[in-house]
Structure formats: structure tokens, C-alpha cells
Amino acid sequence: MAFVLDLRPSVAVGVLAVALFGAVAASPPAAVTACNGFALTPGQIGGTHFKASPLRHSELGPGIHGTQITLSGYVLTSGCRAVRGARVDFWQADENGAYDDTGVRLRSHQFTDGRGRYWLQTILPGPYANRTRHLHVTVRARGERTVTTMLYFPGVAQNAHDPFIDRRLIVRLRIAKHRFLARFDFVLERG
């Protein structure tokens, strides 16, 4: 008897939802703790797909398909201060693992608010080659060192085999009102 993997989009999304739901249960709560100094966000390669992007908080729109997710968090200093006006650039593959290298699909940038907060509505990026699902991010702020890194998702089978994954860069994930919410706080080093 042969095992046949069902890759219909509705089945794939259902399987992904079950895997992510399990990961949500294992994700630590997104609680704010007393600050004794934060660990710096580790940098990673930026890849070859970065390019200028529009200012926006949502990458959703016509032709964007996939599991929707909202990513949010803060940009902070290692001394626990919020960084206002930090520029946060995002770029990622689509649900099939393909980058838009000619347009601006699934690319954006934004500036943190007065509390150092950012938020992005997007989709879960698809895996490709030997890479797991990930979002590319560059954070720049006056007086702080720029960090280019990648964010990863808990509960993804490809995480075990991705040559670049850094477990410190896995987002905290939860479900609220049938929506996936991811949280990650970036910590920058003084420049």
C-alpha cells in the first residue's frame, strides 16, 4: 500500500493549522517582564531578495493567498527603552515559496510608533529548497546598530533541517478569535 500526500490547498491549510495550533499551545505567553536588560536580536543573512518597498502595515490584497497572520512587537534597546521611529523592512516568499523579485508583493516597510511598536498583516511564507518558513526583516534606528535577520515559526517540520535557523528567532504564536497572532520584539545594540 502506497502513502499519497494530499496537497490540495484546503487540505494543506488544514494540516498547517493543526501543526500551528500544536505549536501555539507550546509557545510561551507574550508577557512583559521586568527589565534587567534584553538580549540583542541576532543578525542573519539578508538573502538576495531585498529591494525597496512601499510604506504599509498590510501586505494582504488581491492575488495574495495563504494563511493570514498578524505579526507585532516592539523595537527596544538592550537597556529596555522603546525605539520610536525605527524603520522596519519586511520581505518574504509567497505561500508557494516564491519571491516577487520584479514587484512589491509581500514587501513593506513601516516606522515604529511612540511606544516602539510595529505590526504587520501578512501570510505565512511558504518553504522552498532546504529553507523553512521565514520572514526577512531589517530594523534601522538612529543611534542603534542596524540588524538584518529572519523570523521563524514554531511547529514547522522543516525547522529541524534548515541550515540557518536560530531558535532565538522563533516567534511566539497564539490564536485569538480564529486568527494567528505572532509576536517578536527586536532588541538593538547602541551604534
Side-chain angles (χ1 to χ4, degrees), residues 128-144:
Y128 58 90
N130 60 348
R131 295 304 320 276
T132 191
R133 297 174 186 276
H134 63 277
L135 280 164
H136 294 271
V137 186
T138 294
V139 183
R140 299 176 181 90
R142 181 184 305 258
E144 309 294 330

Side-chain angles (χ1 to χ4, degrees), residues 54-179:
L55 175 64
R56 59 185 173 190
H57 286 276
S58 178
E59 296 177 340
L60 303 177
I64 303 293
H65 304 285
T67 302
Q68 294 183 13
I69 189 166
T70 299
L71 170 67
S72 65
Y74 294 88
V75 176
L76 306 163
T77 68
S78 60
C80 310
R81 288 183 296 109
V83 179
R84 290 182 281 169
R87 180 179 169 133
V88 186
D89 282 275
F90 299 97
W91 66 103
Q92 70 180 76
D94 65 15
E95 68 177 333
N96 298 311
Y99 288 87
D100 178 3
D101 289 326
T102 60
V104 293
R105 289 170 38 97
L106 299 171
R107 298 173 184 278
S108 65
H109 76 271
Q110 59 186 263
F111 297 91
T112 56
D113 67 15
R115 296 182 305 145
R117 185 172 188 269
Y118 73 90
W119 63 272
L120 177 70
Q121 290 180 312
T122 189
I123 61 166
L124 283 171
Y128 58 90
N130 60 348
R131 295 304 320 276
T132 191
R133 297 174 186 276
H134 63 277
L135 280 164
H136 294 271
V137 186
T138 294
V139 183
R140 299 176 181 90
R142 181 184 305 258
E144 309 294 330
R145 292 199 182 192
T146 297
V147 64
T148 298
T149 196
M150 290 179 257
L151 300 181
Y152 302 92
F153 300 90
V156 179
Q158 293 97 330
N159 287 356
H161 307 289
D162 190 297
F164 298 107
I165 193 164
D166 183 329
R167 301 225 175 268
R168 297 172 295 175
L169 296 168
I170 294 177
V171 301
R172 293 178 301 212
L173 193 62
R174 66 186 178 95
I175 298 175
K177 297 181 182 177
H178 306 289
R179 297 184 53 89

